[in-house]
């Protein structure tokens, strides 16, 4: 496999791309609540009572409970934590001493997993090359999702309700400035999204669009475009229509 296939992991010619297209999971990490089918190593089946814990988490969250409250409830009612259930305790962590201890990150991870509605979600992460050991996260629009590949633990309605509440609860800064073209600018070289960056020089502040692939991984050329120049160019083009 060449490095470009790793950089663009949704490449259908790659073994991973072909495996994903067939509806199979390309991850070796099975979500809490599922386990491998002993008769088919490529198939996930529901793992009770872990799946019931997942249902309780969604039920409590959709009833208005916060993630900290849910952790307290699970700990007090002795629901075994994912790390202890999967026998993956981290040495020195509180979970080693208390198998029923839940942390907020575990609850959030469960609430964010679309796999619980029965879907396969591939290419959440990628490597820049076969030699690179660092795992990088893909943006959600780069996920490959295949519907109804395993038995669901929760309904789509429950998941979407929880997702809407999660998005609504994200803190938005009241001082955030509106930018006209934010999210609509793409690099002309690598076609990756360009993100707005704040550039300060002495007493002046300039906003620029910088290629995300260059900023994070230095995989594109070091170039940017000023926001004010880009807006002027777009308006000039519209004037000629």
């Amino acid at each position: 496999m060449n490095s470009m296939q790793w950089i663009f992991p949704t490449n259908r010619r790659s073994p991973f791309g072909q495996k994903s297209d067939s509806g199979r999971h390309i991850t070796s990490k099975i979500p809490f609540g599922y386990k491998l089918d002993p008769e088919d190593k490529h198939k996930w089946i529901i793992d009770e009572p872990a799946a019931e814990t997942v249902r309780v988490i969604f039920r409590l969250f959709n009833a208005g409970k916060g993630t900290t409250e849910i952790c307290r409830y699970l700990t007090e009612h002795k629901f075994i934590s994912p790390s202890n259930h999967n026998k993956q305790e981290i040495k020195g962590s509180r979970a080693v001493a208390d198998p029923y201890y839940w942390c907020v990150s575990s609850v959030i991870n469960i609430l964010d997993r679309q796999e619980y509605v029965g879907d396969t979600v591939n290419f959440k992460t990628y490597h820049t090359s076969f030699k690179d050991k660092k795992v990088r996260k893909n943006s959600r629009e780069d996920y490959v999702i295949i519907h109804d590949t395993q038995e669901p633990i929760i309904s789509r309605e429950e998941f979407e309700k929880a997702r809407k509440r999660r998005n609504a609860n994200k803190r938005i800064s009241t001082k955030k400035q509106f930018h006209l073209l934010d999210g609509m600018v793409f690099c002309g070289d690598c076609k990756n999204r360009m993100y707005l960056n704040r550039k300060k020089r002495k007493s002046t502040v300039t906003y620029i669009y910088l290629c995300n692939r260059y900023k994070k991984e230095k995989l594109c050329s070091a170039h940017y475009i000023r926001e004010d120049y880009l807006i002027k160019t777009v308006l000039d083009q519209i004037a000629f229509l």
Side-chain angles (χ1 to χ4, degrees):
M1 182 184 296
N2 62 44
S3 61
M4 291 301 291
Q5 290 174 322
W6 281 83
I7 295 171
F8 303 104
T10 53
N11 190 327
R12 294 301 190 265
R13 293 173 296 177
S14 71
F16 281 134
Q18 293 170 7
K19 184 177 180 180
S20 177
D21 281 348
S22 68
R24 287 162 57 184
H25 306 281
I26 63 173
T27 179
S28 59
K29 295 181 180 179
I30 305 174
F32 177 71
Y34 285 107
K35 61 182 178 180
L36 283 180
D37 186 340
E39 298 181 0
D40 185 353
K41 64 179 182 179
H42 301 299
K43 184 180 179 182
W44 293 352
I45 58 176
I46 290 179
D47 180 11
E48 297 283 3
E52 181 57 27
T53 304
V54 172
R55 297 185 192 104
V56 168
I57 290 172
F58 274 90
R59 189 157 57 244
L60 290 172
F61 188 75
N62 285 334
K65 299 292 184 182
T67 52
T68 302
E69 290 180 277
I70 294 173
C71 288
R72 190 180 303 118
Y73 177 91
L74 297 173
T75 301
E76 291 176 353
H77 289 79
K78 296 189 180 301
F79 285 84
I80 194 165
S81 66
S83 59
N84 280 276
H85 178 79
N86 297 327
K87 307 300 181 185
Q88 294 175 341
E89 302 94 335
I90 300 174
K91 188 176 180 180
S93 69
R94 182 171 173 178
V96 174
D98 184 0
Y100 307 110
Y101 172 73
W102 280 77
C103 60
V104 171
S105 60
S106 295
V107 172
I108 291 175
N109 181 56
I110 288 171
L111 291 171
D112 284 342
R113 299 211 68 150
Q114 188 173 336
E115 290 90 339
Y116 291 130
V117 302
D119 295 343
T120 292
V121 184
N122 289 330
F123 298 113
K124 288 184 176 181
T125 59
Y126 69 100
H127 297 269
T128 57
S129 73
F130 68 93
K131 293 181 180 180
D132 183 17
K133 302 301 180 183
K134 184 178 180 180
V135 178
R136 294 168 169 82
K137 291 184 178 181
N138 258 327
S139 56
R140 188 169 183 82
E141 55 263 30
D142 291 326
Y143 292 176
V144 174
I145 300 173
I146 304 96
H147 297 294
D148 304 319
T149 56
Q150 68 264 351
E151 187 178 352
I153 292 176
I154 62 167
S155 68
R156 291 189 186 276
E157 290 75 17
E158 288 177 286
F159 180 76
E160 288 303 323
K161 183 178 180 180
R163 176 184 283 180
K164 287 179 181 178
R165 187 182 169 210
R166 288 267 296 130
N167 290 337
N169 286 348
K170 289 180 180 178
R171 295 180 180 178
I172 301 174
S173 173
T174 56
K175 294 182 180 179
K176 185 175 180 180
Q177 184 176 344
F178 175 75
H179 296 276
L180 186 63
L181 300 176
D182 198 14
M184 296 185 287
V185 183
F186 294 83
C187 175
D189 294 336
C190 70
K191 312 304 179 186
N192 201 22
R193 194 181 297 275
M194 297 182 75
Y195 288 99
L196 200 65
N197 289 261
R198 190 171 180 266
K199 194 174 183 180
K200 188 174 182 180
R201 288 184 177 177
K202 295 182 179 180
S203 59
T204 61
V205 175
T206 304
Y207 287 94
I208 62 172
Y209 283 96
L210 182 67
C211 176
N212 190 49
R213 185 148 295 222
Y214 171 77
K215 181 180 178 182
K216 286 187 175 181
E217 304 145 26
K218 301 297 185 288
L219 294 177
C220 191
S221 59
H223 60 275
Y224 67 86
I225 184 169
R226 283 177 44 172
E227 181 191 36
D228 55 352
Y229 175 78
L230 181 60
I231 291 175
K232 182 180 183 302
T233 302
V234 171
L235 291 176
D236 288 344
Q237 292 295 321
I238 294 174
F240 281 109
L241 296 178

